[in-house]
């Protein structure tokens, strides 16, 4: 599977698709738990079976940091389990 993230200096972004709304929302709930434990929260949106995620570190001036990269790895691992 190709990398799910596109990257600019300012952000990591993933546009994910799921089987249905319940699957998408369940995934978001799992990510929310991870993000809370890491104290690093994504910007995201959900429409039916799609979840769009943006990771950036506001405290560092809206750039990609190790925090974003670490959360992206965990999100990717979760997403791969849904496929």
């Amino acid at each position: 599977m190709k990398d799910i993230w596109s990257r600019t200096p300012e952000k990591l972004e993933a546009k994910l698709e799921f089987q249905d709304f319940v699957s998408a929302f369940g995934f978001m709930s799992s990510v929310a738990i991870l993000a809370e434990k890491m104290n690093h929260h994504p910007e995201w949106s959900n429409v039916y079976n799609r979840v769009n995620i943006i990771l950036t570190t506001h405290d560092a001036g809206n750039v990609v940091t190790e925090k974003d990269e670490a959360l992206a790895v965990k999100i990717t691992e979760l997403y791969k389990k849904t496929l």
Side-chain angles (χ1 to χ4, degrees):
M1 180 177 86
K2 67 177 187 159
D3 188 18
I4 63 172
W5 298 95
S6 62
R7 182 187 180 112
T8 68
E10 297 83 24
K11 66 183 177 181
L12 295 174
E13 185 171 12
K15 296 181 179 186
L16 310 176
E17 192 169 321
F18 297 85
Q19 188 172 14
D20 53 32
F21 175 76
V22 172
S23 299
F25 198 86
F27 172 80
M28 290 178 73
S29 296
S30 296
V31 171
I33 292 167
L34 285 174
E36 188 65 19
K37 287 180 182 177
M38 296 175 73
N39 194 30
H40 192 57
H41 305 92
E43 296 177 28
W44 57 6
S45 64
N46 163 244
V47 176
Y48 182 58
N49 69 333
R50 296 182 313 273
V51 176
N52 296 331
I53 303 171
I54 295 174
L55 300 177
T56 189
T57 302
H58 300 293
D59 295 349
N62 296 319
V63 296
V64 175
T65 65
E66 289 180 11
K67 284 180 159 184
D68 302 302
E69 292 171 355
L71 184 53
V73 166
K74 292 184 181 282
I75 290 171
T76 300
E77 290 170 355
L78 276 175
Y79 184 64
K80 285 181 179 181
K81 290 179 183 177
T82 70
L83 300 178

